[in-house]
Amino acid sequence: ITAAPPASLFLAQVSGDSMWETLHHGDQVLVDRSRARATADGIYALRFDQDYGELVVKRVTIDPRDRSLTIASDNPKYETWRGVKSEDLRVVGRIIWIGRQV
C-alpha cells in the first residue's frame, strides 16, 4: 500500500468519536511519516503545538486559491477550522490504512 520505508510507518490507535463514521474509537490507523506535508486532500495525523501537542487525526482539504487548509472532523458535532495556515500546525503523516476489530 506504500513505497515508504518501514521506519517511516507507525500504528496509532484512534481515541474518541470526532472522526465517526470513518474512524471508530479503538481503530488502528497506519501513519506514513514520509508524507508529513498536506500536499493533497486526505486524512492526516496532526499536532497543533509544534513540540508537545496532542496527536489528532483529522480530514484536511486544501483551498486551491490560497493553499490554506480546512481541518475537519467527520463527526458534525465537532468544529471545522477554515483558513488554517500550514505553518500553524505540524503534519505528522498521512493515514494510509485503517484496521478495526470485527
Side-chain angles (χ1 to χ4, degrees):
I1 61 173
T2 182
S8 294
L9 305 172
F10 72 92
L11 278 174
Q13 186 169 347
V14 174
S15 178
D17 68 347
S18 72
M19 288 298 291
W20 179 266
E21 294 216 9
T22 306
L23 301 173
H24 302 177
H25 180 79
D27 284 354
Q28 300 287 318
V29 293
L30 184 61
V31 182
D32 182 349
R33 290 187 299 188
S34 72
R35 300 174 77 181
R37 289 184 37 213
T39 57
D41 294 353
I43 300 174
Y44 290 86
L46 309 169
R47 288 193 197 281
F48 290 96
D49 178 313
Q50 296 295 338
D51 296 319
Y52 302 107
E54 178 181 1
L55 185 68
V56 296
V57 175
K58 299 293 178 192
R59 186 172 302 279
V60 176
T61 55
I62 302 168
D63 186 321
R65 296 168 295 178
D66 62 4
R67 304 299 294 168
S68 67
L69 307 175
T70 296
I71 301 168
S73 300
D74 286 357
N75 186 334
K77 292 188 334 186
Y78 292 85
E79 181 179 359
T80 296
W81 304 301
R82 291 179 173 79
V84 176
K85 296 177 185 174
S86 60
E87 59 268 14
D88 291 339
L89 75 150
R90 181 172 154 228
V91 177
V92 176
R94 187 171 182 164
I95 307 304
I96 60 169
W97 177 87
I98 300 165
R100 82 174 37 116
Q101 190 169 17
V102 180

